[in-house]
Amino acid sequence: MRSRRTFLQNCAALAVATGAPPLVAQAVAPRQRINTLCFFTKHLQWLNFEDAATVLRDAGFDGADLTVRPGGHVPPEDASRLLPEAMEALSKKGLKVPMAVTGIKDPSDPQLEDFLSVLADNGVRYYRMAYYGYDRGLSMEANLENFKAQLGQLAEKNAKYGLCGAYQNHAGNRLGASIWDLRETIKGLDPNFMSCQFDIRHATFEGMRSWENDLRGIQSHVRTTVLKDFRWAGSPDDQRGSMNVPLGEGAVDFERYFQHFKALNLKDPISIHAEYPLFSDQEQALPKTQKMDLAIERLGTDMAFAKKH
């Protein structure tokens, strides 16, 4: 019987012969799912902590990607008081909170270290940052140098508290939209403290098929990841607009994506987003308990799709 090493070596040889990238060739080895599947709680902020925990548990999630930012489930100025309450409510329903979404971006913020300490003390390991916009009065090179300096300073502070900052690639014209610029600013930093939160939806929107090159280019710094889907809202010749849809109903090639994802052997949590409307206009007026039942059903469908892969 051939050893697993021999099997993988043969796969790699086949990849070279056929021109397939080794990253995909390695993905043929099956593995058990090890990622914590979390839900981005922006879409449940109409519920208190306990009710949101009930929806996530009953929909089959492992944990929460909690909004700890202005306008979020936990406003940052109240984090020391409210974050333990949120953690307790979620934990009672068997849910983990390994990740959070924050407004962090300025390493010189005098409140930053206190906030990082609160995140760490409550068991959060990964936090998503806010975005950096380009200064159009500066050259591209000068902008990248500024971004790199800020990310480097944040990485140093994260290291003090055992936290990993995560910059999400997001469609548009800010840092990270095309990913190559994020790669230039993040390379050389320890990915345990400053990383990329890879979002396949936005990578597909900006790169269509070239997202594979983007992922390969930044893979050493990918830690947390995002799952969501969209459809082009325009005609095939006018793909400027988009409409968010449930997982598997849109333009994202999840079969191809998960081949790459599995080959990276990432053990870090995944955040599932429901950017599409959870309720119709008529359903918005339903009692809270009925809306919770609908949310459980619809988010459960996304969860089942993610688990299938």
Side-chain angles (χ1 to χ4, degrees):
M1 180 179 294
R2 294 183 300 171
S3 68
R4 181 175 182 275
R5 177 179 296 179
T6 301
F7 174 70
L8 292 177
Q9 287 173 341
N10 289 343
C11 287
L14 177 62
V16 172
T18 60
L23 186 62
V24 174
Q26 294 171 11
V28 297
R31 69 178 186 119
Q32 185 178 5
R33 182 175 67 83
I34 55 177
N35 307 89
T36 301
L37 294 176
C38 299
F39 184 75
F40 179 29
T41 66
K42 179 182 84 170
H43 315 294
L44 294 178
Q45 287 179 187
W46 48 281
L47 295 172
N48 61 31
F49 300 141
E50 183 176 354
D51 289 339
T54 296
V55 168
L56 295 186
R57 180 198 62 190
D58 292 353
F61 286 88
D62 303 322
D65 184 8
L66 191 65
T67 51
V68 189
R69 63 182 181 181
H73 249 136
V74 178
E77 64 272 17
D78 292 329
S80 60
R81 177 176 61 89
L82 291 180
L83 190 53
E85 293 181 19
M87 293 293 188
E88 181 179 9
L90 290 156
S91 178
K92 284 182 177 178
K93 299 295 173 67
L95 298 166
K96 303 174 183 178
V97 189
M99 59 197 310
V101 179
T102 74
I104 292 172
K105 63 185 294 186
D106 181 5
S108 65
D109 182 349
Q111 306 300 318
L112 176 61
E113 293 210 40
D114 287 342
F115 184 55
L116 294 178
S117 177
V118 170
L119 292 178
D121 288 347
N122 283 276
V124 174
R125 167 73 178 105
Y126 306 89
Y127 72 83
R128 194 178 94 197
M129 303 172 48
Y131 305 106
Y132 292 129
Y134 278 94
D135 182 341
R136 302 302 167 183
L138 298 177
S139 68
M140 181 66 75
E141 291 78 10
N143 271 283
L144 295 183
E145 286 300 318
N146 288 342
F147 298 147
K148 188 175 184 66
Q150 292 181 80
L151 291 172
Q153 292 170 43
L154 283 174
E156 291 178 2
K157 293 181 183 295
N158 292 338
K160 290 174 61 176
Y161 298 95
L163 294 170
C164 182
Y167 194 99
Q168 177 197 19
N169 59 287
H170 194 291
N173 59 7
R174 297 172 293 197
L175 173 67
S178 50
I179 301 183
W180 69 265
D181 53 354
L182 179 58
R183 177 179 180 272
E184 288 301 304
T185 58
I186 209 170
K187 68 181 181 182
L189 300 179
D190 189 330
N192 291 310
F193 306 119
M194 184 55 64
S195 65
C196 167
Q197 184 170 103
F198 190 82
D199 187 316
I200 183 57
R201 180 258 192 244
H202 289 297
T204 300
F205 183 90
E206 288 291 348
M208 195 57 180
R209 295 182 180 85
S210 66
W211 64 261
E212 297 185 54
N213 297 331
D214 295 328
L215 178 55
R216 288 173 62 81
I218 204 167
Q219 68 185 45
S220 64
H221 277 77
V222 173
R223 291 296 181 265
T224 57
T225 51
V226 172
L227 295 182
K228 55 189 174 191
D229 206 351
F230 76 102
R231 290 179 186 155
W232 296 112
S235 68
D237 296 324
D238 180 14
Q239 298 182 343
R240 289 173 292 180
S242 64
M243 177 177 64
N244 294 306
V245 297
L247 296 180
E249 296 184 11
V252 174
D253 185 349
F254 282 106
E255 295 300 325
R256 188 71 171 166
Y257 171 68
F258 276 106
Q259 284 184 314
H260 287 280
F261 178 87
K262 291 174 183 176
L264 291 177
N265 198 33
L266 297 174
K267 301 177 176 63
D268 310 282
I270 296 170
S271 180
I272 297 176
H273 295 205
E275 301 290 353
Y276 58 88
L278 269 180
F279 310 109
S280 67
D281 291 341
Q282 293 78 9
E283 290 169 341
Q284 288 287 4
L286 291 172
K288 182 182 72 171
T289 54
Q290 292 185 38
K291 291 175 68 175
M292 288 175 64
D293 288 341
L294 289 174
I296 290 167
E297 176 185 349
R298 290 163 187 174
L299 299 183
T301 299
D302 279 343
M303 185 61 172
F305 180 88
K307 283 184 173 179
K308 182 177 68 176
H309 291 80

